[in-house]
Amino acid sequence: NQTPTATMRRRTTAVHRQTANRRTRIAKRLRSLRKTTARPRNDGRPDAVRVMWFARKNEERMTQFDAAEMNDAQTMLDRILEHPATDHDVAVVQEQLGRYPRGMMAVGARCANGCPLAVVTRPLVDGKIPFPTTCYLTGPEIAKAVSHLEADGVMREYNEMLALDPQLRERYERAHRKYLAFRHALALHTGDSEEHIDGISAGGMPTRVKCLHALVAQSLVMGPGVNPIGDMALDRLRGEFDPAVCTCAPITTGQRD
């Protein structure tokens, strides 16, 4: 025979288990509702409908940027997209990365001999995967050189500089806004949603230095004077890698264009 205390404990455990199961079911239902209401589903409606929906959402975010920021971003994007990625570019970058470069729109920077150093990637890969790193470093030699800088503790040095230099912080924050404005212009061009990466740039901006690869990629794609940390890192790379001098490994996908 069980004691009253044991019986009460068993009943309490059963109630707790039922409550937990009910909460789990409610949580699953809420997640399901969010998925169905967050954006138009791919339920057979024409692509144009989804593109218009995303474009409307993106236009609502334009208030984050002033006219000068958007004009600069659009000019930069137009310049890059004048030469969209070719099949050869995609093949070369695939060899560099060891995987297919999904979402690649264009080569944003090349070495002196035309090898891709950094690419521009759309904000929504395969129509469903948010991808905040719009400027992506692909050249194996420059990526290796940047990794050596990170291993030498340069990021700690740059973070200390940000903490002590208000002017550097201000320039770094501007680089963050330029990154967001550029991606926003790209999102308007492609019809991609930015809802899951809204306000997120890359490399730790606007407050920290977390990934020099992303910051160097922005400096290569957008040019000098945009990202001060990326520019400083590029200057320190010169002894090992110089974008103006081709030291890229031979490409096996065919002759370069």
PDB file of all heavy atoms in Angstrom, residues 225-244:
ATOM      1  N   GLY A 225      38.836  53.854 -47.979  1.00  0.00           N
ATOM      2  CA  GLY A 225      38.157  54.985 -47.363  1.00  0.00           C
ATOM      3  C   GLY A 225      36.784  54.673 -46.824  1.00  0.00           C
ATOM      4  O   GLY A 225      36.153  55.550 -46.225  1.00  0.00           O
ATOM      5  N   VAL A 226      36.298  53.452 -47.013  1.00  0.00           N
ATOM      6  CA  VAL A 226      34.970  53.080 -46.519  1.00  0.00           C
ATOM      7  C   VAL A 226      35.070  52.429 -45.143  1.00  0.00           C
ATOM      8  O   VAL A 226      34.438  52.872 -44.186  1.00  0.00           O
ATOM      9  CB  VAL A 226      34.253  52.138 -47.503  1.00  0.00           C
ATOM     10  CG1 VAL A 226      32.943  51.624 -46.904  1.00  0.00           C
ATOM     11  CG2 VAL A 226      33.983  52.852 -48.821  1.00  0.00           C
ATOM     12  N   ASN A 227      35.869  51.376 -45.033  1.00  0.00           N
ATOM     13  CA  ASN A 227      36.015  50.673 -43.759  1.00  0.00           C
ATOM     14  C   ASN A 227      37.443  50.858 -43.239  1.00  0.00           C
ATOM     15  O   ASN A 227      38.384  50.281 -43.787  1.00  0.00           O
ATOM     16  CB  ASN A 227      35.714  49.184 -43.930  1.00  0.00           C
ATOM     17  CG  ASN A 227      35.589  48.450 -42.601  1.00  0.00           C
ATOM     18  OD1 ASN A 227      36.457  48.570 -41.738  1.00  0.00           O
ATOM     19  ND2 ASN A 227      34.533  47.690 -42.438  1.00  0.00           N
ATOM     20  N   PRO A 228      37.626  51.639 -42.188  1.00  0.00           N
ATOM     21  CA  PRO A 228      38.987  51.926 -41.723  1.00  0.00           C
ATOM     22  C   PRO A 228      39.730  50.699 -41.215  1.00  0.00           C
ATOM     23  O   PRO A 228      40.946  50.578 -41.419  1.00  0.00           O
ATOM     24  CB  PRO A 228      38.774  52.948 -40.598  1.00  0.00           C
ATOM     25  CG  PRO A 228      37.366  52.714 -40.126  1.00  0.00           C
ATOM     26  CD  PRO A 228      36.605  52.310 -41.352  1.00  0.00           C
ATOM     27  N   ILE A 229      39.022  49.770 -40.582  1.00  0.00           N
ATOM     28  CA  ILE A 229      39.675  48.565 -40.069  1.00  0.00           C
ATOM     29  C   ILE A 229      40.067  47.652 -41.232  1.00  0.00           C
ATOM     30  O   ILE A 229      41.180  47.102 -41.263  1.00  0.00           O
ATOM     31  CB  ILE A 229      38.761  47.818 -39.083  1.00  0.00           C
ATOM     32  CG1 ILE A 229      38.349  48.735 -37.929  1.00  0.00           C
ATOM     33  CG2 ILE A 229      39.456  46.574 -38.556  1.00  0.00           C
ATOM     34  CD1 ILE A 229      39.485  49.194 -37.061  1.00  0.00           C
ATOM     35  N   GLY A 230      39.182  47.503 -42.191  1.00  0.00           N
ATOM     36  CA  GLY A 230      39.519  46.705 -43.368  1.00  0.00           C
ATOM     37  C   GLY A 230      40.698  47.288 -44.127  1.00  0.00           C
ATOM     38  O   GLY A 230      41.578  46.550 -44.603  1.00  0.00           O
ATOM     39  N   ASP A 231      40.742  48.623 -44.220  1.00  0.00           N
ATOM     40  CA  ASP A 231      41.861  49.281 -44.906  1.00  0.00           C
ATOM     41  C   ASP A 231      43.177  49.037 -44.168  1.00  0.00           C
ATOM     42  O   ASP A 231      44.217  48.763 -44.791  1.00  0.00           O
ATOM     43  CB  ASP A 231      41.599  50.785 -45.013  1.00  0.00           C
ATOM     44  CG  ASP A 231      40.478  51.122 -45.987  1.00  0.00           C
ATOM     45  OD1 ASP A 231      40.029  50.212 -46.715  1.00  0.00           O
ATOM     46  OD2 ASP A 231      40.061  52.300 -46.023  1.00  0.00           O
ATOM     47  N   MET A 232      43.152  49.153 -42.834  1.00  0.00           N
ATOM     48  CA  MET A 232      44.370  48.928 -42.057  1.00  0.00           C
ATOM     49  C   MET A 232      44.849  47.487 -42.193  1.00  0.00           C
ATOM     50  O   MET A 232      46.056  47.221 -42.306  1.00  0.00           O
ATOM     51  CB  MET A 232      44.135  49.281 -40.585  1.00  0.00           C
ATOM     52  CG  MET A 232      44.058  50.767 -40.310  1.00  0.00           C
ATOM     53  SD  MET A 232      44.064  51.170 -38.533  1.00  0.00           S
ATOM     54  CE  MET A 232      42.414  50.658 -38.071  1.00  0.00           C
ATOM     55  N   ALA A 233      43.896  46.550 -42.191  1.00  0.00           N
ATOM     56  CA  ALA A 233      44.269  45.150 -42.349  1.00  0.00           C
ATOM     57  C   ALA A 233      44.890  44.899 -43.718  1.00  0.00           C
ATOM     58  O   ALA A 233      45.891  44.177 -43.842  1.00  0.00           O
ATOM     59  CB  ALA A 233      43.039  44.266 -42.144  1.00  0.00           C
ATOM     60  N   LEU A 234      44.326  45.511 -44.764  1.00  0.00           N
ATOM     61  CA  LEU A 234      44.902  45.356 -46.107  1.00  0.00           C
ATOM     62  C   LEU A 234      46.326  45.893 -46.169  1.00  0.00           C
ATOM     63  O   LEU A 234      47.201  45.292 -46.809  1.00  0.00           O
ATOM     64  CB  LEU A 234      44.023  46.074 -47.135  1.00  0.00           C
ATOM     65  CG  LEU A 234      42.885  45.272 -47.762  1.00  0.00           C
ATOM     66  CD1 LEU A 234      42.047  46.164 -48.672  1.00  0.00           C
ATOM     67  CD2 LEU A 234      43.425  44.082 -48.539  1.00  0.00           C
ATOM     68  N   ASP A 235      46.559  47.021 -45.509  1.00  0.00           N
ATOM     69  CA  ASP A 235      47.910  47.582 -45.494  1.00  0.00           C
ATOM     70  C   ASP A 235      48.889  46.632 -44.822  1.00  0.00           C
ATOM     71  O   ASP A 235      50.037  46.481 -45.269  1.00  0.00           O
ATOM     72  CB  ASP A 235      47.915  48.933 -44.773  1.00  0.00           C
ATOM     73  CG  ASP A 235      47.272  50.038 -45.604  1.00  0.00           C
ATOM     74  OD1 ASP A 235      47.194  49.864 -46.846  1.00  0.00           O
ATOM     75  OD2 ASP A 235      46.848  51.056 -45.029  1.00  0.00           O
ATOM     76  N   ARG A 236      48.451  45.971 -43.767  1.00  0.00           N
ATOM     77  CA  ARG A 236      49.347  45.060 -43.056  1.00  0.00           C
ATOM     78  C   ARG A 236      49.551  43.747 -43.801  1.00  0.00           C
ATOM     79  O   ARG A 236      50.477  42.996 -43.493  1.00  0.00           O
ATOM     80  CB  ARG A 236      48.808  44.796 -41.651  1.00  0.00           C
ATOM     81  CG  ARG A 236      48.777  46.041 -40.795  1.00  0.00           C
ATOM     82  CD  ARG A 236      48.211  45.811 -39.431  1.00  0.00           C
ATOM     83  NE  ARG A 236      49.160  45.133 -38.550  1.00  0.00           N
ATOM     84  CZ  ARG A 236      49.135  45.252 -37.221  1.00  0.00           C
ATOM     85  NH1 ARG A 236      48.235  46.025 -36.640  1.00  0.00           N
ATOM     86  NH2 ARG A 236      50.008  44.607 -36.480  1.00  0.00           N
ATOM     87  N   LEU A 237      48.681  43.481 -44.757  1.00  0.00           N
ATOM     88  CA  LEU A 237      48.816  42.251 -45.548  1.00  0.00           C
ATOM     89  C   LEU A 237      49.869  42.365 -46.640  1.00  0.00           C
ATOM     90  O   LEU A 237      50.276  41.341 -47.207  1.00  0.00           O
ATOM     91  CB  LEU A 237      47.480  41.902 -46.221  1.00  0.00           C
ATOM     92  CG  LEU A 237      46.321  41.419 -45.358  1.00  0.00           C
ATOM     93  CD1 LEU A 237      45.088  41.243 -46.223  1.00  0.00           C
ATOM     94  CD2 LEU A 237      46.672  40.116 -44.665  1.00  0.00           C
ATOM     95  N   ARG A 238      50.272  43.573 -46.976  1.00  0.00           N
ATOM     96  CA  ARG A 238      51.079  43.787 -48.189  1.00  0.00           C
ATOM     97  C   ARG A 238      52.310  42.902 -48.233  1.00  0.00           C
ATOM     98  O   ARG A 238      52.735  42.489 -49.307  1.00  0.00           O
ATOM     99  CB  ARG A 238      51.501  45.254 -48.280  1.00  0.00           C
ATOM    100  CG  ARG A 238      50.360  46.261 -48.265  1.00  0.00           C
ATOM    101  CD  ARG A 238      49.602  46.353 -49.548  1.00  0.00           C
ATOM    102  NE  ARG A 238      48.477  47.290 -49.451  1.00  0.00           N
ATOM    103  CZ  ARG A 238      47.550  47.406 -50.375  1.00  0.00           C
ATOM    104  NH1 ARG A 238      47.595  46.677 -51.462  1.00  0.00           N
ATOM    105  NH2 ARG A 238      46.548  48.266 -50.217  1.00  0.00           N
ATOM    106  N   GLY A 239      52.907  42.619 -47.080  1.00  0.00           N
ATOM    107  CA  GLY A 239      54.091  41.780 -47.098  1.00  0.00           C
ATOM    108  C   GLY A 239      53.809  40.354 -47.518  1.00  0.00           C
ATOM    109  O   GLY A 239      54.683  39.666 -48.048  1.00  0.00           O
ATOM    110  N   GLU A 240      52.570  39.892 -47.290  1.00  0.00           N
ATOM    111  CA  GLU A 240      52.204  38.518 -47.641  1.00  0.00           C
ATOM    112  C   GLU A 240      51.306  38.451 -48.863  1.00  0.00           C
ATOM    113  O   GLU A 240      51.385  37.506 -49.652  1.00  0.00           O
ATOM    114  CB  GLU A 240      51.508  37.841 -46.453  1.00  0.00           C
ATOM    115  CG  GLU A 240      51.152  36.392 -46.695  1.00  0.00           C
ATOM    116  CD  GLU A 240      50.556  35.721 -45.466  1.00  0.00           C
ATOM    117  OE1 GLU A 240      50.482  36.362 -44.393  1.00  0.00           O
ATOM    118  OE2 GLU A 240      50.160  34.548 -45.575  1.00  0.00           O
ATOM    119  N   PHE A 241      50.433  39.460 -49.005  1.00  0.00           N
ATOM    120  CA  PHE A 241      49.518  39.459 -50.147  1.00  0.00           C
ATOM    121  C   PHE A 241      49.225  40.892 -50.558  1.00  0.00           C
ATOM    122  O   PHE A 241      48.902  41.736 -49.724  1.00  0.00           O
ATOM    123  CB  PHE A 241      48.205  38.750 -49.817  1.00  0.00           C
ATOM    124  CG  PHE A 241      47.283  38.636 -50.998  1.00  0.00           C
ATOM    125  CD1 PHE A 241      47.351  37.543 -51.844  1.00  0.00           C
ATOM    126  CD2 PHE A 241      46.368  39.644 -51.281  1.00  0.00           C
ATOM    127  CE1 PHE A 241      46.520  37.441 -52.953  1.00  0.00           C
ATOM    128  CE2 PHE A 241      45.535  39.551 -52.396  1.00  0.00           C
ATOM    129  CZ  PHE A 241      45.617  38.453 -53.227  1.00  0.00           C
ATOM    130  N   ASP A 242      49.320  41.150 -51.847  1.00  0.00           N
ATOM    131  CA  ASP A 242      49.018  42.466 -52.405  1.00  0.00           C
ATOM    132  C   ASP A 242      48.008  42.277 -53.538  1.00  0.00           C
ATOM    133  O   ASP A 242      48.304  41.594 -54.520  1.00  0.00           O
ATOM    134  CB  ASP A 242      50.293  43.122 -52.940  1.00  0.00           C
ATOM    135  CG  ASP A 242      50.059  44.577 -53.371  1.00  0.00           C
ATOM    136  OD1 ASP A 242      48.887  44.949 -53.569  1.00  0.00           O
ATOM    137  OD2 ASP A 242      51.045  45.315 -53.506  1.00  0.00           O
ATOM    138  N   PRO A 243      46.796  42.854 -53.418  1.00  0.00           N
ATOM    139  CA  PRO A 243      45.801  42.686 -54.480  1.00  0.00           C
ATOM    140  C   PRO A 243      46.290  43.162 -55.843  1.00  0.00           C
ATOM    141  O   PRO A 243      45.783  42.715 -56.874  1.00  0.00           O
ATOM    142  CB  PRO A 243      44.624  43.533 -53.989  1.00  0.00           C
ATOM    143  CG  PRO A 243      44.801  43.627 -52.516  1.00  0.00           C
ATOM    144  CD  PRO A 243      46.279  43.644 -52.288  1.00  0.00           C
ATOM    145  N   ALA A 244      47.284  44.071 -55.845  1.00  0.00           N
ATOM    146  CA  ALA A 244      47.794  44.596 -57.119  1.00  0.00           C
ATOM    147  C   ALA A 244      48.794  43.652 -57.785  1.00  0.00           C
ATOM    148  O   ALA A 244      49.228  43.900 -58.905  1.00  0.00           O
ATOM    149  CB  ALA A 244      48.448  45.956 -56.899  1.00  0.00           C
TER     150      ALA A 244
END
